[in-house]
């Protein structure tokens, strides 16, 4: 919808419709806009993202970074890789804990991993030190991945359109807070960036979850308005 609005503006025969067009985007796919284009869409677009859903922060750049993060963590991990796979399956389907919370159980040296860093060299250096320190990982995997990165680099950082609204769960309550967030929060390195996946990364994108969240937000607004009026 937001892209179509840009097309309408660019076409002289339809440009007069543009001021009347407003876009409300529910969990839009990220990675569609350059930063300049995303900022330009603020005037007519709002994007809403729910909880841990990963789609709005999904882009080629984010997937490339997650690929290297995964390779580096596996290369540095001293545990048998089958054990890791079964642990991830158990965590994802049977537990509400995040993979980060489970990491210590599998002896991943995660605590020191610069997960939110946007400096790839820092991450590769961490992996080399972990393997050199005795982890039964593969230095060859690390160096091959580093060589690929140096040759190609990462794709340009791309963004979802419009002003960003995040429906954030209130811990311990059946309640959501609707808060404005920066586009940078969903970019690599940001607080809502696509990273080590949470169990809600997929399920929070389901439309019925979003509908339920909207109902809770609206009901809460109604209650607050009634209370303040009385």
């Amino acid at each position: 919808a937001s892209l179509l609005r840009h097309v309408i503006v660019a076409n002289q025969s339809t440009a007069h419709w543009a001021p009347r067009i407003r876009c409300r985007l529910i969990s839009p796919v990220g990675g569609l806009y350059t930063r300049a284009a995303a900022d330009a869409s603020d005037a007519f677009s709002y994007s809403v993202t729910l909880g841990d859903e990963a789609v709005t922060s999904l882009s080629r750049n984010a997937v490339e970074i997650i690929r290297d993060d995964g390779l580096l963590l596996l290369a540095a991990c001293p545990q048998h890789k089958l054990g890791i796979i079964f642990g991830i399956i158990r965590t994802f389907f049977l537990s509400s804990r995040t993979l980060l919370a489970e990491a210590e159980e599998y002896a991943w040296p995660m605590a020191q991993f610069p997960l939110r860093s946007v400096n790839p060299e820092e991450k590769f250096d961490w992996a080399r030190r972990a393997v050199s320190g005795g982890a039964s990982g593969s230095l060859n995997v690390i160096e091959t991945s580093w060589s690929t990165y140096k040759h190609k680099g990462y794709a340009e950082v791309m963004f979802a359109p419009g002003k960003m609204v995040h429906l954030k769960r209130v811990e311990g309550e059946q309640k959501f807070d609707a808060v404005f967030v920066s586009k940078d929060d969903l970019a690599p390195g940001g607080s809502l960036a696509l990273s080590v996946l949470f169990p809600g990364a997929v399920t929070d994108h389901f439309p019925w979850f979003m509908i339920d969240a909207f109902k809770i937000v609206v009901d809460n607004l109604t209650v607050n308005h009634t209370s303040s009026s009385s």
Side-chain angles (χ1 to χ4, degrees):
S2 186
L3 288 171
L4 180 58
R5 202 268 191 184
H6 282 291
V7 173
I8 290 172
V9 171
N11 189 320
Q12 290 185 351
S13 64
T14 58
H16 62 282
W17 293 343
R20 294 183 290 167
I21 299 175
R22 296 290 182 271
C23 302
R24 304 293 183 265
L25 311 167
I26 310 301
S27 296
V29 176
L32 296 177
Y33 280 74
T34 63
R35 182 56 187 261
D39 287 343
S41 69
D42 284 357
F44 57 86
S45 296
Y46 284 90
S47 290
V48 182
T49 179
L50 169 65
D52 294 328
E53 72 97 2
V55 175
T56 305
S57 56
L58 182 65
S59 66
R60 178 180 170 184
N61 174 274
V63 170
E64 288 176 344
I65 290 173
I66 243 187
R67 172 203 63 203
D68 278 347
D69 285 356
L71 285 172
L72 294 178
L73 289 168
L74 287 172
C77 178
Q79 292 294 312
H80 195 286
K81 301 311 180 272
L82 283 176
I84 297 173
I85 292 171
F86 287 125
I88 290 173
I89 292 172
R90 179 173 66 83
T91 300
F92 193 85
F93 290 104
L94 302 179
S95 172
S96 61
R97 300 175 70 193
T98 69
L99 298 188
L100 287 174
E102 293 282 338
E104 188 174 345
E105 180 177 338
Y106 304 110
W108 291 2
M110 286 284 289
Q112 293 79 33
F113 183 62
L115 186 66
R116 294 295 183 190
S117 172
V118 292
N119 180 357
E121 189 165 0
E122 181 182 357
K123 294 183 177 181
F124 282 97
D125 284 345
W126 169 89
R128 293 186 188 100
R129 290 196 303 272
V131 172
S132 300
S136 58
S138 170
L139 191 60
N140 183 55
V141 169
I142 296 169
E143 296 305 336
T144 300
S145 184
W146 175 243
S147 176
T148 301
Y149 167 76
K150 286 196 296 183
H151 177 63
K152 294 183 177 180
Y154 291 141
E156 180 183 0
V157 179
M158 303 287 275
F159 301 87
K163 295 179 180 177
M164 307 303 303
V165 179
H166 182 225
L167 300 185
K168 181 181 179 181
R169 285 186 175 82
V170 177
E171 191 172 349
E173 300 182 43
Q174 287 292 321
K175 183 179 174 183
F176 292 88
D177 283 337
V179 296
F180 281 104
V181 295
S182 165
K183 292 180 180 67
D184 293 324
D185 289 328
L186 288 103
S191 60
L192 300 174
L194 179 64
S195 187
V196 176
L197 294 181
F198 295 87
V202 176
T203 56
D204 279 351
H205 187 65
F206 293 163
W208 49 90
F209 279 33
M210 182 65 79
I211 291 171
D212 288 344
F214 274 126
K215 287 179 179 177
I216 292 171
V217 169
V218 171
D219 288 345
N220 187 53
L221 287 174
T222 303
V223 170
N224 288 341
H225 178 71
T226 303
S227 300
S228 60
S229 298
S230 59

